[in-house]
């Protein structure tokens, strides 16, 4: 018996009766009855569902075990519309009959397989969620996902994004991460008539409201400025200070541009990476930093967001926010 895995959005509603029959044939390895053919030059196979419809699949392996991964139903021999075949020219007369799966190689290896789940997700590769990721995937937004680098946050967010309808957005501080996320999202030719997705840097998203005056300060500029004061504040970690100024002092308050010194000093140990003694030295430096931004005609995404939200009319803010009412995502 062959273990069967399923592409997460595999839709068999229109072929339920014939699908069950074909599924049993594939599970038992009876490829002859399923009329399995290898689609030369594509890496995929197709099984017959009925006189018009076909089932696209391939073989994958994990820990030296071979699995059949069911991908999509091809309606009316319309291979040109297949998400996985990507518009390849298909000549059915060149398909090669396959009577048994035993001699067929699994050319795709999974880096991980949750053996308690048969569901596979597809981005730029096939992905199996562990139980924790699977539980998060079923939750509805708003939701904050926290994890270390390589923990699967981006894959989880992008897969969730696929399931949403309407105008949706993926927003990140990093233009590189935005471009990378967009490439991954569309790498398997995903398309949905139910959504319009935008991938924006935070700067681009805020520019939908109002074009910022001045240039956005980057870390290299900040590092040169911070070098003047590193010795006096006795902190030689410019990047952590940069992140503290951007994400904690100016990034955490909702109704003001930045935290007061009292509010900053009262933060808990999980709200700031610096000790109370270090914060006491950092806050006066932060005030000098805001003066420097004005002198250099520079801005930051967080300060621009605050100034824009207080300067725009409620109707303007609402119109842009409502465009992405389904789910703006900050990663």
């Amino acid at each position: 018996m062959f273990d069967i895995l399923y592409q997460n959005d595999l839709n068999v509603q229109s072929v339920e009766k014939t699908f069950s029959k074909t599924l049993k044939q594939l599970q038992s390895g009876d490829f002859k009855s399923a009329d399995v053919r290898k689609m030369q030059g594509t890496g995929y196979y197709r099984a017959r569902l009925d006189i018009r419809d076909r089932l696209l699949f391939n073989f994958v392996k994990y820990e030296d075990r071979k699995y059949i991964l069911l991908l999509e139903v091809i309606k009316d021999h319309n291979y040109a519309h297949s998400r996985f075949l990507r518009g390849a020219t298909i000549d059915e007369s060149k398909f090669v009959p396959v009577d048994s799966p035993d001699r067929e190689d699994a050319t795709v290896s999974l880096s991980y397989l949750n053996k308690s789940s048969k569901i596979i997700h597809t981005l730029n590769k096939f992905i199996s969620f562990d139980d924790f990721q699977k539980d998060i995937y079923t939750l509805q937004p708003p939701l904050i996902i926290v994890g270390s680098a390589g923990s699967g946050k981006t894959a989880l967010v992008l897969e969730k994004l696929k399931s949403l309808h309407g105008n949706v957005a993926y927003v990140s501080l990093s233009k590189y991460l935005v471009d990378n996320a967009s490439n991954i999202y569309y790498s398997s030719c995903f398309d949905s008539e139910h959504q319009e997705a935008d991938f924006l840097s935070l700067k681009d998203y805020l520019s939908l409201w109002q074009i910022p005056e001045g240039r956005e300060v980057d870390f290299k500029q900040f590092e040169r400025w911070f070098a003047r004061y590193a010795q006096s504040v006795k902190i030689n970690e410019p990047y952590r200070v940069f992140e503290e100024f951007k994400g904690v002092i100016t990034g955490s308050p909702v109704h003001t541009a930045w935290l007061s010194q009292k509010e900053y000093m009262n933060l808990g140990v999980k709200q700031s990476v610096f000790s109370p003694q270090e914060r006491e030295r950092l806050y006066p430096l932060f005030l000098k930093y805001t003066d420097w931004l004005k002198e250099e005609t520079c801005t930051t995404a967080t300060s621009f967001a605050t100034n824009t939200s207080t300067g725009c009319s409620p109707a303007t803010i609402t119109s842009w926010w409502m465009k992405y009412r389904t789910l703006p995502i900050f990663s």
Side-chain angles (χ1 to χ4, degrees):
M1 292 290 287
F2 266 87
D3 288 329
I4 306 291
L5 304 175
Y6 302 83
Q7 164 66 21
N8 74 301
D9 55 4
L10 175 67
N11 185 354
V12 299
Q13 288 184 345
S14 62
V15 292
E16 282 184 287
K17 292 182 180 179
T18 54
F19 175 78
S20 298
K21 179 182 177 181
T22 303
L23 178 62
K24 290 178 181 178
Q25 293 167 342
L26 294 176
Q27 286 176 318
S28 64
D30 185 5
F31 276 29
K32 186 173 183 179
S33 296
D35 190 22
V36 171
R37 305 289 177 100
K38 186 173 185 177
M39 305 169 66
Q40 296 288 72
T42 68
Y44 295 103
Y45 300 76
R46 70 90 167 134
R48 177 189 171 100
L49 290 169
D50 53 46
I51 194 170
R52 297 178 305 171
D53 306 324
R54 302 294 183 259
L55 179 62
L56 189 74
F57 72 92
N58 68 354
F59 292 98
V60 297
K61 62 182 177 181
Y62 178 69
E63 294 182 343
D64 297 323
R65 185 179 180 89
K66 189 161 61 175
Y67 300 82
I68 294 174
L69 173 57
L70 305 184
L71 296 169
E72 65 180 332
V73 172
I74 305 292
K75 298 290 291 181
D76 299 317
H77 302 273
N78 196 348
Y79 294 100
H81 285 181
S82 168
R83 167 186 169 189
F84 293 92
L85 297 175
R86 306 185 184 192
T89 301
I90 302 299
D91 184 351
E92 292 191 70
S93 66
K94 295 182 179 180
F95 288 1
V96 179
V98 179
D99 294 336
S100 170
D102 296 332
R103 295 181 180 178
E104 301 303 313
D105 293 327
T107 57
V108 178
S109 296
L110 301 178
S111 58
Y112 168 78
L113 177 62
N114 183 351
K115 295 182 179 180
S116 67
S117 173
K118 296 181 181 296
I119 301 299
I120 298 295
H121 298 261
T122 306
L123 286 167
N124 57 337
K125 60 183 178 180
F126 294 126
I127 300 169
S128 175
F129 287 154
D130 61 30
D131 289 335
F132 188 63
Q133 291 171 322
K134 189 172 63 172
D135 289 342
I136 293 175
Y137 178 75
T138 62
L139 297 176
Q140 294 303 311
L143 183 66
I144 297 175
I145 302 173
V146 179
S148 59
S151 61
K153 299 187 301 299
T154 299
L156 195 55
V157 166
L158 292 179
E159 276 299 291
K160 189 64 180 179
L161 198 66
K162 288 181 182 179
S163 68
L164 302 176
H165 291 186
N167 292 311
V168 296
Y170 179 101
V171 183
S172 174
L173 279 172
S174 167
K175 184 68 166 62
Y176 169 79
L177 291 180
V178 169
D179 292 341
N180 186 57
S182 178
N183 290 336
I184 292 174
Y185 193 68
Y186 293 113
S187 60
S188 62
C189 296
F190 172 76
D191 183 43
S192 172
E193 62 182 14
H194 302 296
Q195 75 166 221
E196 182 178 334
D198 288 328
F199 289 78
L200 303 166
S201 68
L202 180 57
K203 181 179 179 181
D204 290 340
Y205 174 65
L206 294 174
S207 295
L208 295 175
W209 299 10
Q210 178 179 314
I211 301 299
E213 295 181 3
R215 67 187 187 281
E216 184 174 2
V217 67
D218 59 26
F219 173 66
K220 288 185 177 180
Q221 290 172 290
F222 177 84
E223 187 177 30
R224 290 194 294 269
W225 174 83
F226 179 77
R228 310 175 200 170
Y229 306 99
Q231 189 171 357
S232 61
V233 295
K234 299 178 182 178
I235 297 174
N236 193 24
E237 298 176 285
Y239 190 77
R240 292 177 76 189
V241 175
F242 185 55
E243 290 294 301
E244 185 85 351
F245 286 2
K246 284 201 312 175
V248 178
I249 300 181
T250 62
S252 56
V254 177
H255 302 297
T256 59
W258 56 72
L259 296 174
S260 68
Q261 185 167 9
K262 182 179 179 180
E263 290 170 330
Y264 183 52
M265 294 304 297
N266 287 336
L267 293 179
V269 293
K270 293 185 177 181
Q271 294 173 291
S272 171
V273 296
F274 294 101
S275 68
Q277 293 78 15
E278 289 172 321
R279 276 182 259 160
E280 193 169 355
R281 299 195 298 272
L282 277 177
Y283 196 83
L285 182 62
F286 167 74
L287 297 179
K288 291 181 180 180
Y289 169 69
T290 61
D291 291 337
W292 174 71
L293 290 176
K294 293 176 184 176
E295 292 170 4
E296 297 294 321
T297 322
C298 290
T299 187
T300 66
T302 48
S303 64
F304 175 68
T306 302
N307 294 337
T308 302
S309 62
T310 54
C312 287
S313 68
T316 302
I317 295 173
T318 301
S319 67
W320 283 113
W321 177 256
M322 289 294 285
K323 180 181 179 183
Y324 300 116
R325 187 176 182 179
T326 304
L327 181 68
I329 299 173
F330 298 84
S331 173

